[in-house]
Each structure stands twice: as structure tokens, then as C-alpha cells.
Amino acid sequence: MSHSEDRRALLRGAVAGALGLSSLAALGAESTSPKPSSSTTGSTALKGNIHHSVARWTFDFLTLEELCLVVKRLGFSAIDLIGPKEWHILKQHGVDSSMCNGAELNLEDGWGDSRFHQPLIERYREHIDLVADAGYKNLICFSGNKRGMDPEEGLKHATKGLKKILAQAEKRGVVLQMELFNSKVNHPDYFADNSAWGIELCKRLDSPNFKLLYDIYHMQISEGDIIRTIQNHHQYFGHYHTAGVPGRNEIDDTQELYYPAIVRAIQATGFKGYVAQEFMPNRATTAEKIESLQAAIRICDV
């Protein structure tokens, strides 16, 4: 057995062990069930009030196939931030692509700078059709960096550029979702580093097919006041991301946000989209990392 094959066997064993199974083959058999009846610890099924997901990049120590098996075993069936080349894996396992990506250039060169509009328009027109043809709904986008521009200039550029693709998104039933980042810790110079900028962009575009991806971790760092912002402006938010503050780790009692109250506030708005876990598991072993995902899902399952 090669080193890579040996590592893969060990990893698959760790995944199965974390889920209390003798093998991932057994897990794969269970994943054909449309709605698992129990979690890894034998507790009751998820309540069904919240549509749960998890960001692919935060669990990239698993293959996508393994992550599909894990999420199905944990009682939900969606993964965030997957591009067209891997959608076939999701479909094989009956897992939704809750937030599609791949149209963006990167996180810095975005819609707030007109210099990038031509390649962005070409890429998003292609991906809007790919998303729609695959039966998915959400496609992420980014404001990009200021590079000396003031907020109003960025709003004008983003409005002008996005209007060139919104008619296609509306026709195909695809929702463009611009993610809000903090510029204090993680993404210096980012335009959409506060909810007010993003909300104003939504108002100018005036389309049901443009929303904000409200990242709770980022907005806690940028501005706080999470629950009231959700209550007052939820109509502009089409998707939510979680993570602990500080550190982007588990959403447990080691950090300053109380997610049960936050998710109850989201539910109270009538939100029908996804709440996706995007924390970096701060645990030593693969089994413990998977257990931390299970715990986060339970915390948010209000």
C-alpha cells in the first residue's frame, strides 16, 4: 500500500469511528436514506425548522465524498461553496449545493471595481446557466477591494455591473448572494465590510434575485448588533454563515456569540434558506472535528 493509500485508509477509518460505524461502507448504505432518524450519539432527529449546511473549505481534511457521507449521517444534506466540477459528487449522494461558487475571479477583484466587470460578466453569465441547469439556486459573489475608492463609488460600480447579469439570473431563477466580510481582521480594504453598504446595494438593484450572504462571524467583528440587524433587515439576507468569535472556531461557550438566540431570531423572520456552518474546527483528531460539527448543528437546530 502506498503512503497516500495508507493515509486515505486511516482517514476513512477515523471518519467511520467518529460516526460510530465499523466502516464508511456502512455509512454509505445509510446515506441512501432520505432523512436519517438519529445522530451519531443516538439522539433524536433534527427538528426540521432550520435548513443546515456546512462550508466545504472548513472540512477539507475530508474528501468531498466523505463529507457528503458525514452530513447525511448527521441528519442534514447540504454543503456550501462547491463549484460545477464537483456537483456530480453531491448528486451521487443526494446532497444539495446550498451555495455555489466558481464564477468569482477571487475575493479582492470584485464588482465594486469596474476594471473587473468584463471578465466577471462573462463568468457569471456562464455560471448562472450552469447553476440553473444543475437545479441549484444560490451563486456567491463578492464586492472586492476599494483600492482608494470611496464607498459611494463602489456602490455605483457594483450596481452598474450587476445589472448586466441580473435579468439572466431572474429568468433562470438563480439568486446572486454577495458575502459580507470584515475588513478589520480577515479581509482588509473589502468594500462590503458592513451591512449598510450591502443593504444599499440591494435597494439600488431592487431585485429578488440579489441578496446578501450575512456572515455572522464577519459582521460581529465589523459592527456587532447581530440580532437587531437580522430583525430589521432580514429581507435583504438570503443566506447565513456561522463561526465563533474570536478565532473562527467552534460556536460553543468559548466565544462571545450565543447562537441559539441568533438562530431563533433568524427563524422568527420566516427565513427558508440555509444556515451554513463555516467555523474552523479547533480539535486534534478527525473524529473530534466531526463531533464538533455535530455539536454545532445541534446548537443551531432550534
Side-chain angles (χ1 to χ4, degrees):
M1 179 181 290
S2 69
H3 175 74
S4 61
E5 290 173 335
D6 183 58
R7 179 187 177 281
R8 182 171 175 79
L10 289 172
L11 181 59
R12 291 174 70 86
V15 173
L19 298 175
L21 297 170
S22 60
S23 70
L24 274 178
L27 179 59
E30 289 197 16
S31 76
T32 60
S33 174
K35 187 173 182 180
S37 60
S38 63
S39 71
T40 64
T41 59
S43 56
T44 58
L46 297 176
K47 296 175 182 177
N49 299 324
I50 298 295
H51 295 139
H52 299 284
S53 180
V54 61
R56 169 74 183 110
W57 72 272
T58 59
F59 279 77
D60 61 3
F61 51 88
L62 302 176
T63 67
L64 182 55
E65 180 182 15
E66 288 166 344
L67 186 56
C68 286
L69 298 177
V70 166
V71 302
K72 293 297 288 288
R73 173 64 175 174
L74 295 184
F76 64 103
S77 56
I79 299 175
D80 256 31
L81 304 176
I82 301 291
K85 292 182 180 179
E86 294 186 304
W87 289 344
H88 69 283
I89 300 174
L90 300 184
K91 290 183 179 296
Q92 288 171 4
H93 293 278
V95 174
D96 189 22
S97 180
S98 45
M99 181 60 65
C100 302
N101 69 355
E104 69 278 1
L105 296 172
N106 51 61
L107 303 183
E108 294 81 26
D109 303 335
W111 290 98
D113 191 328
S114 61
R115 292 177 296 174
F116 305 114
H117 282 182
Q118 182 176 349
L120 284 171
I121 289 168
E122 292 174 358
R123 291 172 65 89
Y124 274 86
R125 283 176 174 166
E126 176 187 3
H127 277 73
I128 286 169
D129 285 339
L130 289 172
V131 170
D133 290 345
Y136 299 135
K137 180 179 180 181
N138 298 318
L139 179 59
I140 200 168
C141 66
F142 302 96
S143 70
N145 288 4
K146 300 173 184 176
R147 296 184 173 92
M149 288 182 281
D150 62 38
E152 176 59 27
E153 190 173 359
L155 282 169
K156 289 179 179 177
H157 290 320
T159 301
K160 182 178 180 180
L162 286 162
K163 280 186 174 179
K164 294 182 179 179
I165 61 171
L166 265 174
Q168 180 185 354
E170 290 168 353
K171 181 179 179 181
R172 298 304 314 271
V174 172
V175 180
L176 303 173
Q177 308 244 15
M178 181 173 284
E179 185 162 13
L180 302 176
F181 287 152
N182 82 80
S183 59
K184 180 180 179 182
V185 176
N186 300 107
H187 299 278
D189 203 43
Y190 191 71
F191 263 121
D193 66 350
N194 63 91
S195 57
W197 192 94
I199 290 166
E200 178 59 26
L201 180 57
C202 288
K203 290 178 178 178
R204 295 187 187 191
L205 291 169
D206 191 26
S207 170
N209 291 74
F210 182 83
K211 299 285 185 180
L212 300 176
L213 194 170
Y214 187 82
D215 190 300
I216 299 164
Y217 161 82
H218 284 298
M219 290 301 96
Q220 171 67 3
I221 293 172
S222 286
E223 61 190 25
D225 205 16
I226 298 297
I227 290 178
R228 181 161 52 179
T229 300
I230 290 168
Q231 290 170 337
N232 292 346
H233 304 293
H234 60 88
Q235 65 268 34
Y236 303 109
F237 304 153
H239 198 84
Y240 291 91
H241 278 173
T242 77
V245 178
R248 193 190 271 282
N249 299 128
E250 279 79 1
I251 59 170
D252 55 22
D253 60 5
T254 65
Q255 52 91 54
E256 66 194 31
L257 290 164
Y258 185 63
Y259 271 94
I262 294 170
V263 180
R264 281 195 293 269
I266 293 171
Q267 182 191 6
T269 68
F271 181 70
K272 301 301 182 185
Y274 281 98
V275 175
Q277 303 294 331
E278 200 185 23
F279 67 90
M280 296 291 293
N282 187 22
R283 299 291 186 267
T285 69
T286 295
E288 290 171 333
K289 293 177 193 292
I290 294 171
E291 289 167 359
S292 73
L293 175 59
Q294 179 188 23
I297 294 297
R298 293 293 171 183
I299 287 170
C300 292
D301 193 51
V302 300

